[in-house]
Amino acid sequence: MEIESVLRKLGKYGIWQIGVYVMWAFAFNIPYVFNALSLVFIGPRPKFYHCTIGENQSLPLDSHGKPSMCSMYRNFSLDNSTVSCQNGWSYANSEEFGSTIVTEFDLVCDDSYLSELSQTLYVMGEFIGSLLITPLADVFGRKRVHLICQFFLAACTVVLSFSVNYIMFVLLRVLNGMFLSGVVLTAIVAAIEMFPMEMRTLAGQLFFVWWAGAMMFMDLLAYFIRDWRHLQLALGLIPFTSMIGFWLCPESVPWLLANGQIDEAEKIVKQAAKLNKVELSEHPFHQSVIDDKESDSENEERKARFEESCCKTARDDAKNCFTLISHPLLRRIFIIMLCLWFVNNIVYYGITFMSPSLTDSKYLNFFLSALAELPACVTCILTLERFGRRKPLCFFHCLAGGALIVLIFVPNKTADGTSLTWLILTLTFIAKFAITGSFNVLIQFTMEVYPTNQRNTGLGLSSMTGRFSGMVAPFTIPLVKMMPWVPFLGFALISIAVGLASLLLPETLYYPLPQTVEEMEKWDLPTVKGLINSCLCRDTNSKKSDNPEEVPMAKEVSFA
């Protein structure tokens, strides 16, 4: 594939690659963390609050003998009958948090569910954006869709800080979720598409190191900015700065080639070559069709025919939104990917919701949570290059499932009263580490297994199922209180099941990103029988070439 050889000639870590990659990484992680996790700091509920009453009035006691937080005396001088708070609430001063949406909009007592509902509706916005906005990047380009969504996302985030009531706040959160899908999914796809196959693993996994860094950065901002409106304003203004440099950021070269814009693709790689101080031919993507012996007009005609013949199929694929389910090979990949994304997200959020806090400080807990992301990132970088995508994905899912099964049988204390909290925390960390690692593999795998003009569509629809499971996960919390072993067992079984199902996907390590569906038609998917045979006898023909140039083209590859 010409594009692979051209990207390889530009060098591995040139100025062009590093500069563009940093911009895409910033555009992915900062808006994602600042919007998806902001409710941790702008929406916490104070531990102590009560009805606003007069100076000489007192509060009724609850069942625990403490002053009631949600009721007051109707008329203390006449009887002891109580009513719900009539004059709002008073909140105890908190050293940890200043003003939050809970204290400003009185989201307590009967309205306490509204804070969590805002997050559910935000995820619903992501669901809608993944379905409607992300596929547009396959038609109109990565950069164009990204910039439009980035502008509206930053604008909504800033306006959010001026919300006058809860309804306005929630509506803007839904819009945030919609535009965020268009921002982050186009960013990571464009970043991966700019690298040749032997560099995709490192490029993809370093994105999640940036994620941990973005979490720590937001934690630092929240620690010093305790008012939710000021914090929300800062979270909106910072991503605005990234848009300045993005006008200079190039469009994805593979997308340009797949959509017939070969001259524009050549212009970009020539600029990259000049910046990296490497030499490219005059027509790097037209080299096979240009004949120096013919006139310029004849060569232009040959170029036009070449562009039309090599790009017609890809353009048709982009217009056909049913390709993912109508084509047999893509349909199988698509269904397995949907299952993987759904299970991965519901297990991740389920573990997060059920995990015990390590400290009393929300800021320190958040920092430790960010720190816990790094071991999974490092493990993926070290293993994906050696074992590919399928095996680590299967291993991580099975490890998470195994840790959850063991967790079911671990009591809080032994018979002699010895606390087993350390063991519970260890198993929880193992499960969180494994499911985080599986997500890091999954998002890279998803981008590599689809052709160029279906890549954002496939990633967006897969992400959509993940958002749906994110909306479902909070409803497992009441079940944990009644029968703790039920959600743990359910999460464990479905995690192991999809882990094994991932072995039926084609391996993508050291193979070029497919440009069209036609390239993928030559692929052979693994079968259950083939997997059983490979477990019983060693495949001596699966050695990887040390030289990426020697890797066969997709049409010569058999993954069975």
Side-chain angles (χ1 to χ4, degrees):
M1 185 177 292
E2 273 188 309
I3 185 172
E4 286 290 326
S5 61
V6 171
L7 292 177
R8 194 173 292 116
K9 288 177 183 177
L10 292 177
K12 289 186 176 182
Y13 306 107
I15 297 176
W16 181 78
Q17 287 95 332
I18 294 175
V20 176
Y21 180 81
V22 168
M23 282 194 287
W24 283 122
F26 185 90
F28 174 89
N29 290 285
I30 295 296
Y32 204 167
V33 170
F34 282 12
N35 286 275
L37 304 179
S38 62
L39 199 65
V40 173
F41 300 110
I42 69 173
R45 183 174 291 105
K47 294 180 179 179
F48 305 105
Y49 53 88
H50 58 78
C51 300
T52 300
I53 56 176
E55 291 183 5
N56 297 323
Q57 291 180 310
S58 61
L59 292 168
L61 301 180
D62 60 19
S63 58
H64 300 287
K66 297 180 180 179
S68 175
M69 294 190 291
C70 298
S71 63
M72 59 185 291
Y73 288 116
R74 186 188 302 274
N75 191 331
F76 183 72
S77 61
L78 297 178
D79 54 38
N80 292 331
S81 62
T82 60
V83 294
S84 59
C85 298
Q86 303 296 304
N87 305 311
W89 284 261
S90 296
Y91 300 93
N93 292 328
S94 171
E95 295 182 0
E96 188 170 21
F97 296 106
S99 171
T100 71
I101 62 169
V102 172
T103 60
E104 184 152 341
F105 301 137
D106 288 334
L107 306 182
V108 293
C109 296
D110 292 340
D111 293 332
S112 61
Y113 70 95
L114 292 177
S115 178
E116 287 75 15
L117 179 63
S118 69
Q119 182 69 8
T120 300
L121 294 175
Y122 162 78
V123 176
M124 186 179 294
E126 288 188 321
F127 180 93
I128 297 171
S130 298
L131 178 64
L132 300 181
I133 297 178
T134 305
L136 297 178
D138 287 329
V139 180
F140 300 106
R142 318 311 193 204
K143 178 182 176 181
R144 187 178 304 173
V145 173
H146 176 87
L147 279 174
I148 293 173
C149 290
Q150 180 78 286
F151 173 79
F152 284 107
L153 174 64
C156 288
T157 307
V158 170
V159 175
L160 192 67
S161 65
F162 298 98
S163 298
V164 296
N165 53 44
Y166 176 77
I167 300 298
M168 179 179 176
F169 176 84
V170 167
L171 290 177
L172 288 170
R173 285 284 288 173
V174 173
L175 292 176
N176 270 11
M178 289 177 57
F179 292 120
L180 181 70
S181 293
V183 169
V184 300
L185 297 181
T186 52
I188 193 167
V189 168
I192 293 299
E193 287 180 338
M194 63 181 285
F195 289 101
M197 53 191 174
E198 63 271 17
M199 295 178 60
R200 287 201 309 261
T201 299
L202 182 61
Q205 295 308 309
L206 282 179
F207 250 65
F208 303 108
V209 176
W210 281 73
W211 170 275
M215 288 180 66
M216 295 176 188
F217 181 45
M218 186 174 76
D219 188 49
L220 186 66
L221 284 176
Y223 182 80
F224 288 105
I225 307 176
R226 300 298 176 97
D227 183 90
W228 81 269
R229 290 186 181 275
H230 296 159
L231 176 61
Q232 186 65 48
L233 183 61
L235 298 181
L237 290 175
I238 292 174
F240 252 127
T241 60
S242 69
M243 296 185 63
I244 300 174
F246 257 98
W247 295 107
L248 303 175
C249 189
E251 179 58 87
S252 165
V253 173
W255 182 86
L256 291 172
L257 292 175
N259 288 272
Q261 302 180 39
I262 298 181
D263 288 334
E264 180 65 21
E266 288 187 340
K267 179 181 177 182
I268 291 174
V269 296
K270 286 179 183 178
Q271 291 173 345
K274 183 178 180 180
L275 197 60
N276 288 354
K277 298 181 180 180
V278 297
E279 295 291 333
L280 288 180
S281 61
E282 182 65 23
H283 300 284
F285 297 123
H286 283 119
Q287 196 66 32
S288 59
V289 294
I290 296 296
D291 190 345
D292 295 334
K293 297 180 181 179
E294 295 185 1
S295 63
D296 291 341
S297 60
E298 290 175 330
N299 276 324
E300 287 298 323
E301 185 177 345
R302 289 165 64 92
K303 285 168 59 179
R305 289 198 303 268
F306 171 74
E307 291 176 4
E308 184 62 28
S309 62
C310 70
C311 302
K312 183 177 183 302
T313 302
R315 290 198 300 269
D316 291 342
D317 289 342
K319 296 175 183 177
N320 182 9
C321 43
F322 296 104
T323 303
L324 290 175
I325 57 176
S326 61
H327 192 280
L329 186 147
L330 282 177
R331 181 170 60 244
R332 181 173 175 181
I333 293 174
F334 182 56
I335 291 174
I336 295 175
M337 282 296 179
L338 291 184
C339 295
L340 281 164
W341 276 81
F342 179 86
V343 171
N344 185 278
N345 278 266
I346 196 171
V347 173
Y348 178 86
Y349 286 116
I351 293 173
T352 301
F353 292 146
M354 293 182 290
S355 298
S357 297
L358 296 177
T359 72
D360 293 330
S361 170
K362 189 174 288 290
Y363 299 101
L364 183 55
N365 276 327
F366 194 82
F367 179 83
L368 294 175
S369 177
L371 205 61
E373 303 275 342
L374 295 178
C377 298
V378 174
T379 302
C380 287
I381 291 173
L382 297 176
T383 58
L384 294 189
E385 280 293 300
R386 181 171 183 179
F387 300 105
R389 282 39 169 162
R390 294 185 304 162
K391 292 178 181 178
L393 184 59
C394 177
F395 171 77
F396 280 129
H397 269 288
C398 291
L399 178 61
L404 290 175
I405 290 176
V406 174
L407 200 55
I408 295 174
F409 301 99
V410 178
N412 292 325
K413 294 181 179 180
T414 62
D416 60 359
T418 304
S419 174
L420 293 178
T421 303
W422 66 271
L423 182 56
I424 294 174
L425 288 174
T426 301
L427 290 170
T428 302
F429 179 83
I430 292 174
K432 183 75 177 290
F433 159 80
I435 207 66
T436 300
S438 69
F439 177 77
N440 293 359
V441 179
L442 181 59
I443 193 169
Q444 177 144 5
F445 203 179
T446 307
M447 291 184 292
E448 294 176 344
V449 81
Y450 289 115
T452 297
N453 273 339
Q454 294 293 333
R455 193 163 293 129
N456 258 108
T457 302
L459 182 60
L461 293 178
S462 299
S463 175
M464 181 187 71
T465 62
R467 304 310 172 201
F468 177 73
S469 64
M471 292 187 285
V472 173
F475 295 101
T476 63
I477 297 177
L479 188 59
V480 173
K481 297 178 180 179
M482 294 184 293
M483 293 181 290
W485 63 271
V486 173
F488 280 106
L489 182 61
F491 291 153
L493 293 179
I494 60 177
S495 182
I496 293 172
V498 296
L500 296 175
S502 68
L503 295 176
L504 296 175
L505 292 169
E507 181 56 73
T508 59
L509 176 64
Y510 279 104
Y511 289 95
L513 293 175
Q515 285 286 87
T516 66
V517 178
E518 287 182 344
E519 290 183 19
M520 298 180 64
E521 288 177 346
K522 304 298 181 181
W523 290 6
D524 293 325
L525 285 174
T527 63
V528 175
K529 181 179 179 181
L531 290 173
I532 294 175
N533 290 336
S534 65
C535 291
L536 297 177
C537 58
R538 184 179 181 83
D539 184 4
T540 58
N541 296 322
S542 60
K543 290 184 179 180
K544 181 186 74 176
S545 172
D546 293 330
N547 184 4
E549 298 279 3
E550 296 177 4
V551 176
M553 299 302 295
K555 64 181 181 180
E556 300 171 351
V557 177
S558 173
F559 295 103

